[in-house]
């Protein structure tokens, strides 16, 4: 096999959200060059009420999948997606669940390029990209349509369709999300020339980033719309674990002593929320839910319904 003569040109593509596009080229046979591209692809959806989603998420965490989590009847929306869209869907679904369960502190999710069928060994010619040429070595200039050609060839999919499918199939894992989604690729490419004069490019590394705005009450930093407060998002699983520990500790007791123990545990963990009871509302549904009983947070309180649900839950698990 003839040895390839690779031209020393490296091109980096970097995404910066909310700014206008800029690109700088300065390449020749001896210079490492960089392209800086700015994109502003943004999606804003009319999503379900966050408090309702959170309440249903709590039901799922405490009691399991009652008849499934989808808002759709029949086959899941996932089935209607293309293969590329399914790859993006899978990454976002895993990332959303990780955040919902209190393990992810950032709502900026990196989708691997393999979801788009991109491998570092892949080589793309001008013909593959629908261009007359990729790079003009005589004038040290890339084809001005290269960026759009790469996007059209390698990143052609409908992000809105992916997001709507996620909200249809697993809405409760998105209780923490509210507002817009921003998305775009970030990758590096290498350009080379073979002995026969064929110019090609390859994607050497990178990812596709999807940034999802976090509901203000679940943010760790009010000024960072993608930051996640894991203490708040992880409260549900913490509460379940604490409740299960109470049941386990009462395992050897008589039925009567178990009930007394449950009552004492609940009363020692929480106080009555007089403010919520008098106003009939709060910033979330916590005072009416058992999560505030078992979350180990002395600042959270409940009303009668919270006490009742907590006692019932312990009995149901006995």
């Amino acid at each position: 096999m003839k040895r390839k003569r690779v031209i020393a040109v490296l091109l980096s593509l970097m995404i910066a959200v909310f700014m206008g596009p800029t690109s700088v080229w300065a390449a020749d046979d001896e210079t490492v060059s960089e392209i800086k591209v700015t994109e502003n692809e943004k999606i804003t959806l009319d999503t379900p009420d966050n408090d309702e989603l959170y309440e249903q998420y709590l039901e799922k965490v405490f009691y399991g999948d009652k008849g499934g989590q989808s808002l759709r009847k029949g086959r899941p929306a996932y089935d209607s997606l293309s293969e590329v869209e399914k790859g993006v869907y899978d990454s976002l679904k895993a990332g959303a669940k990780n955040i919902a369960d209190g393990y992810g502190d950032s709502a900026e999710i990196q989708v691997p390029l393999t979801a788009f069928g991109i491998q570092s060994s892949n080589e793309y010619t001008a013909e593959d990209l629908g261009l007359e040429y990729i790079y003009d070595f005589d004038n040290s200039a890339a084809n001005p349509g290269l960026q759009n050609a790469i996007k059209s060839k390698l990143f052609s999919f409908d992000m809105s369709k992916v997001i709507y499918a996620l909200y249809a199939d697993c809405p409760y894992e998105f209780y923490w999300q509210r507002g817009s989604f921003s998305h775009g690729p970030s990758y590096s490419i290498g350009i080379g020339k073979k002995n026969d004069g064929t110019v090609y490019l390859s994607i050497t590394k990178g990812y596709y980033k999807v940034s999802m705005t976090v509901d203000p009450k679940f943010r760790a930093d009010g000024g960072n719309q993608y930051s996640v407060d894991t203490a708040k998002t992880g409260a549900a699983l913490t509460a379940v674990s604490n409740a299960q520990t109470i049941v386990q500790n009462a395992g050897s007791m008589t039925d009567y002593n178990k009930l007394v123990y449950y009552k004492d545990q609940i009363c020692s963990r929480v106080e009555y929320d007089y403010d919520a009871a008098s106003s009939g509302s709060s910033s979330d549904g916590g005072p009416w839910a058992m999560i505030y009983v078992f979350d180990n947070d002395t600042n959270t309180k409940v009303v009668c319904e919270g006490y009742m649900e907590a006692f019932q839950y312990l009995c149901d698990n006995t």
Side-chain angles (χ1 to χ4, degrees):
M1 183 176 64
K2 293 183 179 180
R3 182 179 180 183
K4 295 179 179 180
R5 181 167 61 90
V6 179
I7 308 299
V9 180
L10 290 178
L11 309 168
S12 296
L13 180 60
M14 303 172 64
I15 302 303
V17 182
F18 308 128
M19 296 176 63
T22 61
S23 60
V24 178
W25 284 91
D28 54 38
D29 291 354
E30 300 179 354
T31 304
V32 173
S33 300
E34 182 179 76
I35 297 179
K36 294 183 178 180
V37 179
T38 302
E39 295 186 359
N40 185 20
E41 294 202 42
K42 191 174 181 180
I43 303 172
T44 301
L45 304 179
D46 183 15
T47 56
D49 178 76
N50 290 71
D51 290 339
E52 177 64 22
L53 291 181
Y54 189 49
E55 183 177 340
Q56 294 301 322
Y57 172 79
L58 294 179
E59 285 287 321
K60 181 182 175 184
V61 168
F62 277 96
Y63 292 105
D65 291 328
K66 289 186 174 181
Q69 63 187 33
S70 178
L71 292 181
R72 292 168 56 95
K73 292 183 179 180
R75 67 175 192 159
Y78 174 86
D79 291 347
S80 67
L81 303 178
S82 69
E83 289 305 309
V84 167
E85 289 164 351
K86 286 179 179 179
V88 177
Y89 174 109
D90 289 337
S91 291
L92 296 186
K93 180 179 179 180
K97 187 179 188 307
N98 195 51
I99 294 170
D101 292 344
Y103 300 118
D105 60 4
S106 173
E108 295 182 292
I109 297 175
Q110 295 182 3
V111 180
L113 293 184
T114 52
F116 301 89
I118 300 173
Q119 306 286 345
S120 59
S121 59
N122 293 356
E123 295 179 353
Y124 306 95
T125 65
E127 183 179 0
D128 294 330
L129 298 174
L131 298 172
E132 292 186 5
Y133 68 95
I134 291 176
Y135 192 83
D136 182 351
F137 291 97
D138 293 333
N139 297 304
S140 300
N143 189 319
L146 182 60
Q147 177 189 334
N148 288 335
I150 292 174
K151 181 179 179 181
S152 176
K153 174 69 177 181
L154 305 181
F155 300 104
S156 179
F157 72 105
D158 188 341
M159 176 60 82
S160 295
K161 190 175 179 181
V162 173
I163 300 301
Y164 278 119
L166 286 165
Y167 261 96
D169 294 342
C170 47
Y172 310 140
E173 278 71 17
F174 287 87
Y175 69 81
W176 50 268
Q177 192 279 325
R178 187 173 191 177
S180 63
F181 293 73
S182 296
H183 63 101
S186 177
Y187 57 87
S188 298
I189 65 176
I191 294 180
K193 183 186 291 185
K194 298 181 180 180
N195 288 336
D196 63 4
T198 300
V199 178
Y200 65 93
L201 67 81
S202 58
I203 307 297
T204 59
K205 60 182 178 180
Y207 51 83
Y208 196 97
K209 185 167 72 173
V210 181
S211 303
M212 298 179 281
T213 303
V214 178
D215 188 300
K217 64 174 168 280
F218 290 109
R219 292 181 193 174
D221 178 0
N224 182 352
Q225 61 183 340
Y226 305 125
S227 66
V228 181
D229 188 338
T230 56
K232 293 181 179 178
T233 53
L237 290 185
T238 297
V240 170
S241 177
N242 290 335
Q244 291 173 346
T245 297
I246 292 173
V247 174
Q248 292 169 1
N249 290 342
S252 61
M253 299 178 184
T254 65
D255 288 346
Y256 176 79
N257 286 336
K258 286 178 182 177
L259 298 179
V260 173
Y261 177 69
Y262 293 163
K263 180 267 295 181
D264 291 341
Q265 280 292 309
I266 291 172
C267 292
S268 67
R269 290 171 174 269
V270 73
E271 295 180 3
Y272 192 81
D273 193 334
Y274 291 97
D275 291 336
S278 61
S279 65
S281 64
S282 70
S283 59
D284 56 43
W288 284 265
M290 62 182 141
I291 183 174
Y292 277 3
V293 176
F294 302 120
D295 63 0
N296 285 347
D297 187 346
T298 57
N299 294 317
T300 56
K301 303 176 183 180
V302 295
V303 293
C304 302
E305 187 174 341
Y307 284 99
M308 177 197 70
E309 286 190 5
F311 192 78
Q312 182 69 55
Y313 183 78
L314 295 177
C315 292
D316 288 342
N317 283 273
T318 300

